[in-house]
Each structure stands twice: as C-alpha cells, then as structure tokens.
Amino acid sequence: PPHVPKEHRLACGETTMASRQNADPEEEGWERTDFPVVCEDCLGPNPYIRMQKTDYAAECAISGRPFTVFRWRPGTEARYKKTVVCKEIALAKNVCQVCLLDLDYGIPVQARDAALAAAGAYNPNSDALLGAKSDVNIEFQTERIAQRIANGEDVTEDASLAVAGAGGKQRAHEILSKMARKTPYYNKNKTAICSFWLRNACTRADCPYRPCNGDTNMPELQSSAEMRTQNLKDRYYGVNDPVANKMMARTEERDAAAKKSMEPPSDTNITTLYVGGLDERVTEDSLRDVFYQYGTLKSVKVLSAKKCAFVTFADRAGAEAAAKQAGHEVHVEGLRLRVMWGKPAGSKGDTKGKGGAGVGGAGGAPGSNAPGADVPGSNPTNPDAMQMPFAPPNGKGAYPSMDPKALGSYATGDGETKAK
C-alpha cells in the first residue's frame, strides 16, 4: 500500500526499477538464452530470418522476471513479433513464447487440457508450476524449472500427455489431432489494421498496415469483440479463453454430427466397416492392429487402387463396438482415416438395370442390360473378361472404313474400288 514506508515494502519483497538495475543477473537467476521457444507459425515460411536479441530487455508477462527478448519479422508482409514470456514459463506449459499456443498441436491451453481430460489422459498435478498463482510461488516454481533445465531434464514431460490407462496416449493424440490444423497458419502474422483507415483519415502513400498495403483480407472486423480483447494470463492458465471456447464448441458440434452418422444400420447382417483415405503406408496388418481390440475379425481387404479398405467382423457386436469407440476417424501410420458403415451389395444404384456395388463387390444382376450380362463367364465390371464383339460377316464390310484395302476409296457394286 502507498502508506507503507518504502523500506518496509522492499523488505517485504517488492522490487523497483532501481533494484532491478543494481541486481546481479547471475545471482538472481534471470533468463539468458540463445534461441527462443516458438512455434512454426510464429517463425514464418522463410527458413532464413534475422532476429534481434536483447538480454534482460523486458519482464515476463507471467512471472515478472527479466528475460532475453527476441524480435523478428516472419515475412515481408508480416508484422514484427517478439517473445512475451520467459523460456521457463513457456516450457512449464509446453507453449510458444509468442502466441502461448501448444507447441505440438498449435491449440490453446484450455482446449488442450479439456481434450486430455475428456480422454482421461490429463493429470492436473503434472503442471510444472503446480498451480502457483501468487508472485512468490511463481518465482519459486520458475527457479525450480530453471534448475531442472540446467541439469538437463526435460521439463516438457510435465506438460505433455500424462497417460491414464492403456491406450490413453493414442486416444488423446487422436482427439488433439482433430482440433489441430494440418498446415501452418501464417495469416496470424499479418500486419495490424490501420487505425487511420478505420477513421477514413489515412493519407500515407506507403502505409504498411492493412488494407492500405493492398491486403484486404481482414477477418478481425467480422469477429466478436471478445475475440479481439484477449488476456495473456487467461490464455496461459487456460481460463476464460474465447478462442478455446469457440474451438471446443465447434469440436462438440462436429463430434455430435459424426456420432449420428455412425449409428448402426437397421440391417443386422452388416458387419463391415469402410475405411477411406489410405495410401501405400497402410497395410492389412496395420489395420488389424487397430481394429482387433474391438472384436474378432473375419477379413480385412485393402483396395490400394481405390485408397480404401473393408474391415469385416465375425459378429455384429464387434462392428458396433468399433463404430462406437473408434468413431468416424482412426489414426493409422500417422494418417487420419475416415470410417463409415459398409453398405450391402446392390444397395448403391439401380440394381434392376445395372450392377450394384457394395461391400460384397460389384457385378451384374440377373436380367440386367449390361454388355455381356447374358454371356456365361462374362463380368461387365472387368474389361478383360468382356466378350469381344461378333466378327463382321464374310464378304463386303458394312462400311468402307472396315476394309483395310480401301484406304480412302469406296467399294462399288461389282467389287471394284474407285477413288473419291
């Protein structure tokens, strides 16, 4: 409080700018590093960037400790970015020092922790800060983290997946992969919107801000007010984060729609699941390793040409268990594959006039008008098995072009040819 003498406030632990300047960085344990802990999005697409490094240039937004600040420009059309938290604080949550998003999946801390809790793989005691919120406790825990880093320990293990039960890590990885982006998102590095342009008063010919620089993509103008006013501490601790709330709501809607699409069909004879999105890395053995846990497998057939597979269970209970627990997506060999219920043969298309395709294959139905359908041993879906057309009758061909000796001439009634 202001009425407390300055000497007493300093004795109680309050620091001033003068005390910071006179302090010994080595004795105080301030951070000094050669490279920041940042995500790929904040680094930008250019592999060669120039960084400005300043030791003890700012205080960490969470711990209040002076740390080494890095500043760079991730692209020619991007704004300058700089680190806002110290390295120890970032590693305690496994987040980027700039955007405070998860380093592995690029999602907010609140969304990550909620997804891990849903998968039963989140341990609140795994937080390296151990829930410290006061300045004294944060300073103590930050010092412990710095000592562990100096000893060569991996601090990110505390903020990574604390698996609970068999298969918890795989399940958590699948949930987080659904929420994460598949490609880097560099749009968040764009320059800010020109405040003078918003007031219709920008007169600078070389204004570097949007949209004066020619970039008219400004999704911030359509976003809600809470999305534009975010708190760094709320984002770091994973509370009241509007971006995380929006992401989790979208994930819940998508999961609800996917769950509805995976409802078992009325035909109880269907025990086959369709798996799409395969490539050469996915084999029958890798699919068996994923689906055998749900029930006894009858067959696994991979169609490499169509980049799909059909997994057939011995009974309906195994197929329903796989559809319920695996959901509409599974991860195999690093790929995210979509899963759907198979359809019976003949359920696709008009089976009266054409061959129906389903989980049992494709073929011509009896009485169909497909070419070669009435010819024994023919298969209208296999060109190699189709019968050759009938040979032309002996004598003159039906058309002059069918006679290889004509060569541009046409046949006359007496068997001679004349030029055209």
Side-chain angles (χ1 to χ4, degrees):
H3 63 275
V4 178
K6 178 179 179 181
E7 293 78 6
H8 182 68
R9 296 201 306 267
L10 291 177
C12 293
E14 181 179 332
T15 59
T16 61
M17 182 60 66
S19 63
R20 290 285 192 184
Q21 293 176 353
N22 297 330
D24 184 8
E26 299 295 336
E27 182 179 353
E28 296 291 337
W30 295 349
E31 178 207 278
R32 185 174 184 180
T33 182
D34 295 329
F35 198 81
V37 178
V38 293
C39 61
E40 184 179 356
D41 294 351
C42 292
L43 284 177
N46 188 0
Y48 306 101
I49 58 177
R50 178 180 297 176
M51 284 188 177
Q52 300 174 358
K53 172 187 172 184
T54 308
D55 293 334
Y56 320 126
E59 293 184 353
C60 176
I62 304 299
S63 65
R65 295 178 45 167
F67 72 104
T68 303
V69 176
F70 294 88
R71 185 174 181 268
W72 70 95
R73 193 177 185 185
T76 57
E77 298 181 356
R79 67 179 185 274
Y80 279 94
K81 312 199 76 171
K82 68 176 183 178
T83 54
V84 294
V85 296
C86 62
K87 183 177 181 179
E88 293 82 7
I89 289 295
L91 292 178
K93 290 280 189 178
N94 194 34
V95 296
C96 173
Q97 285 188 257
V98 180
C99 62
L100 302 184
L101 299 180
D102 185 79
L103 289 173
D104 297 328
Y105 300 96
I107 59 179
V109 175
Q110 182 177 349
R112 180 193 67 186
D113 295 345
L116 294 179
Y122 176 67
N123 182 11
N125 298 325
S126 64
D127 188 356
L129 290 177
L130 298 179
K133 294 296 180 65
S134 64
D135 296 340
V136 177
N137 288 338
I138 291 177
E139 179 70 21
F140 175 73
Q141 297 298 340
T142 305
E143 185 65 27
R144 291 181 64 251
I145 297 172
Q147 293 177 359
R148 294 178 57 186
I149 295 176
N151 296 333
E153 300 182 22
D154 187 4
V155 185
T156 57
E157 290 182 354
D158 297 338
S160 60
L161 309 183
V163 183
K169 184 175 183 179
Q170 177 65 21
R171 179 58 180 166
H173 173 69
E174 294 178 1
I175 295 177
L176 295 176
S177 298
K178 294 177 183 178
M179 303 175 66
R181 293 181 180 271
K182 303 302 175 291
T183 57
Y185 184 70
Y186 299 128
N187 288 338
K188 68 179 184 180
N189 299 332
K190 290 186 175 182
T191 58
I193 298 177
C194 179
S195 58
F196 290 94
W197 176 84
L198 293 174
R199 300 193 298 266
N200 197 21
C202 184
T203 58
R204 292 178 292 183
D206 55 348
C207 180
Y209 302 103
R210 292 178 295 168
C212 304
N213 60 357
D215 187 359
T216 58
N217 183 20
M218 296 178 290
E220 302 93 327
L221 297 180
Q222 285 76 32
S223 61
S224 58
E226 61 178 5
M227 299 291 290
R228 299 193 295 268
T229 57
Q230 302 180 28
N231 187 285
L232 284 177
K233 290 189 175 181
D234 290 346
R235 183 188 297 183
Y236 179 79
Y237 288 110
V239 293
N240 301 324
D241 190 347
V243 177
N245 294 332
K246 182 178 179 180
M247 181 178 295
M248 290 187 295
R250 184 169 62 245
T251 302
E252 291 177 359
E253 295 177 358
R254 182 181 59 188
D255 291 343
K259 184 178 181 180
K260 184 177 180 180
S261 65
M262 291 301 295
E263 294 180 355
S266 57
D267 189 355
T268 58
N269 295 324
I270 299 178
T271 60
T272 301
L273 296 180
Y274 167 87
V275 183
L278 282 68
D279 63 6
E280 63 278 358
R281 291 174 289 179
V282 181
T283 61
E284 294 184 1
D285 293 337
S286 59
L287 290 176
R288 289 181 182 274
D289 294 340
V290 173
F291 287 98
Y292 84 95
Q293 55 183 322
Y294 305 113
T296 304
L297 296 178
K298 182 178 180 180
S299 64
V300 177
K301 185 176 181 181
V302 175
L303 304 180
S304 302
K306 296 185 177 181
K307 298 182 179 181
C308 66
F310 294 97
V311 179
T312 304
F313 288 84
D315 52 12
R316 178 61 176 259
E320 292 184 359
K324 181 179 180 180
Q325 301 180 26
H328 67 291
E329 291 180 345
V330 294
H331 288 75
V332 181
E333 301 295 341
L335 296 175
R336 191 172 71 177
L337 310 179
R338 63 182 183 275
V339 181
M340 296 186 298
W341 278 95
K343 297 181 180 180
S347 64
K348 186 177 181 180
D350 185 7
T351 58
K352 294 184 180 180
K354 298 181 181 179
V359 296
S368 63
N369 296 327
D374 298 331
V375 181
S378 64
N379 186 357
T381 62
N382 187 2
D384 297 334
M386 295 179 65
Q387 297 291 332
M388 295 297 295
F390 292 104
N394 297 332
K396 296 183 297 182
Y399 301 98
S401 60
M402 297 177 64
D403 186 3
K405 298 181 180 179
L407 299 177
S409 60
Y410 63 94
T412 60
D414 54 359
E416 298 180 356
T417 60
K418 293 184 179 180
K420 292 184 179 179

